[in-house]
Amino acid sequence: PSALIFQHNNWNPNFSDYQRLRQLEAFSVAAADALVCPSAYLARQAAGLFGGEPVEVIPYPAPSTPQTERPPDVWRSDAICYVGRLELRKGILEWIQAAVQVAHSHPRAEFHFVGSDTSLDGGPGRSVRSHVLDQIPRSLRSRFHFKGSMPRHELTAYLAQFPAAAVPSRWDNLPYTCI
């Protein structure tokens, strides 16, 4: 629901389209023959937002992903990969703060980011990526690598280069990265 997306992205609900989005969602919920959510957690949140309508849970589909073999030298790497849109509700700001702290104390640590950029405030203004870059001291920026979005078949091979991945979401209604 838009209310939760705006809340967890810290977006201003006074944007002109927010109230219209909420009205359209409320209309759709009221007109629906049934309501479904991919998790019990989101079902409870949706029921609270839309007047306690009963919500059926249909679990997330879990695609079969082949296990990726990693070469032995990967485990000696000090690199961590974040995968997900650069969006506030995905926990990107919290992750950057933690990564900067680690980078200060671990001179070999590197941080890679895969995911498309989004708006910082929900409007046409500044992007999350530009805000995130401002949080990284210039002396450390060479150790932070932003790759943008990547097709899934490339992502699997790319992730094989890292001993660890970070998924620090604040709130997520369909966490494809985890799935």
Side-chain angles (χ1 to χ4, degrees):
S2 296
L4 297 175
I5 292 171
F6 271 68
Q7 175 189 341
H8 293 286
N9 275 334
N10 298 333
W11 289 350
N12 184 345
N14 293 322
F15 280 126
S16 60
D17 61 347
Y18 176 73
Q19 290 305 324
R20 186 69 179 143
L21 283 170
R22 295 289 316 275
Q23 290 170 347
L24 291 170
E25 287 173 346
F27 173 81
S28 297
V29 166
D33 293 331
L35 302 176
V36 297
C37 281
S39 71
Y41 173 75
L42 185 58
R44 286 189 303 274
Q45 289 185 311
L49 282 171
F50 299 111
E53 291 284 330
V55 180
E56 180 72 24
V57 174
I58 298 178
Y60 293 116
S64 62
T65 302
Q67 184 172 349
T68 303
E69 295 299 321
R70 291 177 169 86
D73 62 326
V74 164
W75 305 109
R76 290 187 291 275
S77 169
D78 290 332
I80 300 173
C81 188
Y82 165 95
V83 181
R85 280 188 311 278
L86 302 182
E87 186 175 353
L88 297 184
R89 68 184 167 125
K90 302 290 185 177
I92 187 69
L93 292 183
E94 293 83 354
W95 175 237
I96 280 294
Q97 290 169 356
V100 165
Q101 287 180 1
V102 169
H104 278 300
S105 61
H106 291 75
R108 290 185 22 183
E110 291 203 10
F111 304 90
H112 297 254
F113 299 81
V114 176
S116 58
D117 198 2
T118 63
S119 169
L120 181 61
D121 62 7
R126 195 161 180 223
S127 78
V128 171
R129 180 177 174 177
S130 66
H131 182 69
V132 162
L133 287 171
D134 288 346
Q135 310 306 306
I136 305 168
R138 289 197 185 279
S139 62
L140 300 176
R141 283 193 188 163
S142 65
R143 294 165 45 205
F144 288 78
H145 311 279
F146 294 83
K147 301 293 184 183
S149 60
M150 189 178 290
R152 184 176 177 170
H153 68 278
E154 291 177 23
L155 179 60
T156 303
Y158 187 72
L159 285 173
Q161 302 173 53
F162 302 98
V167 186
S169 286
R170 296 176 182 173
W171 179 87
D172 207 321
N173 57 322
L174 187 55
Y176 279 118
T177 299
C178 294
I179 293 171

